[in-house]
Amino acid sequence: MTKTRREQAEWRREQLLDAALKVFAAKGVDGASVKDIAEAAGVTPGLLYRYFESKEALVATLLSERGFLPRLRELLTADHRGRPAVAVLTELLGAFDALLADNADLMAVFFSATQARAALAELVGEGQRLIGDFLAARVAEGELRPHDTATAARTLFAAVAVSRRTGSPLDVARLVELLFPHER
C-alpha cells in the first residue's frame, strides 16, 4: 500500500525524532549537531530543517511530544471524582517515574538540554502548573489543607526526577504521604 504525502511526511518526521533522540542520548544535546542527526536519519541537514527550524526546536518537540506532558494531561482530564487526591497523585507520580525508567534516552535529553533551556523551562513549568492546579482545586474543595501548591508540585516532580537520575529508589506513595500526611 502506498503512503500518501501526509503519511510519508509524518513517517519522516518520526524518523527524524527517533534519530535525534538516539544522537542526543549518545552525545548530549550540546554535543550533537544537526549534521549528526541528519546522518543518523540518513537524510541531509537541509531536509531536517524542513521539519524543524533549529536543534532547539527539535529538542522541544521531543520533550513535549514524547515526554510526560501528554500523559499528565490525559491523567488529569480523567474523571477523579470520588478518588482521594493522594491516590491520584500517587498514580501521576508513578506514571512519571515509569516514563523516566522506560525512556532512558529521553531522560538523558531532558537532563542535557542546556541549549533548549527556555523550551525545557516552559514544559516543566506547564507540568508543575497542571499539578499545582489539581492541588489548588483539592484545597478549594476542602480535601487538602491549604499549602503552597506550586512548591508542592515542584517538590513532587523534582523528587521523582532526581531519584531516577541518581538511581536512588523512591517510593512515590511514601513521598505523597510525607507531603500530605493524614489526608486520605
Side-chain angles (χ1 to χ4, degrees):
M1 186 163 113
T2 306
K3 292 181 183 179
T4 65
R5 280 183 182 235
R6 183 183 199 122
E7 291 169 332
Q8 179 67 24
E10 185 56 33
W11 176 83
R12 176 67 71 195
R13 183 179 182 277
E14 291 302 313
Q15 177 192 25
L16 294 170
L17 288 170
D18 290 343
L21 184 57
K22 287 180 180 141
V23 172
F24 289 150
K27 294 185 171 192
V29 173
D30 294 341
S33 69
V34 169
K35 183 179 178 192
D36 295 332
I37 297 163
E39 284 177 6
V43 302
T44 65
L47 181 64
L48 193 141
Y49 282 117
R50 290 183 72 186
Y51 287 85
F52 304 97
E53 68 183 39
S54 66
K55 184 169 78 168
E56 292 75 22
L58 187 52
V59 171
T61 300
L62 268 174
L63 293 175
S64 68
E65 291 182 10
R66 297 188 180 185
F68 185 61
L69 275 180
R71 179 74 174 129
L72 179 61
R73 287 184 197 110
E74 176 187 316
L75 289 168
L76 286 174
T77 57
D79 185 4
H80 297 295
R81 286 180 292 214
R83 290 190 64 210
V86 293
V88 175
L89 287 171
T90 300
E91 180 183 345
L92 290 171
L93 293 175
F96 181 52
D97 189 47
L99 176 96
L100 295 178
D102 295 342
N103 295 281
D105 288 351
L106 187 64
M107 193 168 81
V109 172
F110 181 85
F111 282 104
S112 72
T114 60
Q115 288 188 356
R117 281 287 179 231
L120 184 58
E122 187 176 318
L123 292 169
V124 169
E126 182 181 348
Q128 291 171 347
R129 277 189 303 280
L130 289 169
I131 293 293
D133 291 349
F134 169 79
L135 293 171
R138 293 301 179 101
V139 167
E141 293 169 6
E143 180 183 356
L144 297 177
R145 71 189 184 293
H147 63 282
D148 180 347
T149 59
T151 298
R154 278 192 302 277
T155 301
L156 291 166
F157 274 120
V160 173
V162 169
S163 169
R164 191 51 63 188
R165 175 73 171 167
T166 61
S168 303
L170 177 69
D171 180 341
V172 294
R174 180 71 184 113
L175 173 64
V176 172
E177 181 182 313
L178 181 67
L179 290 176
F180 303 100
H182 313 297
E183 300 186 59
R184 296 227 171 254

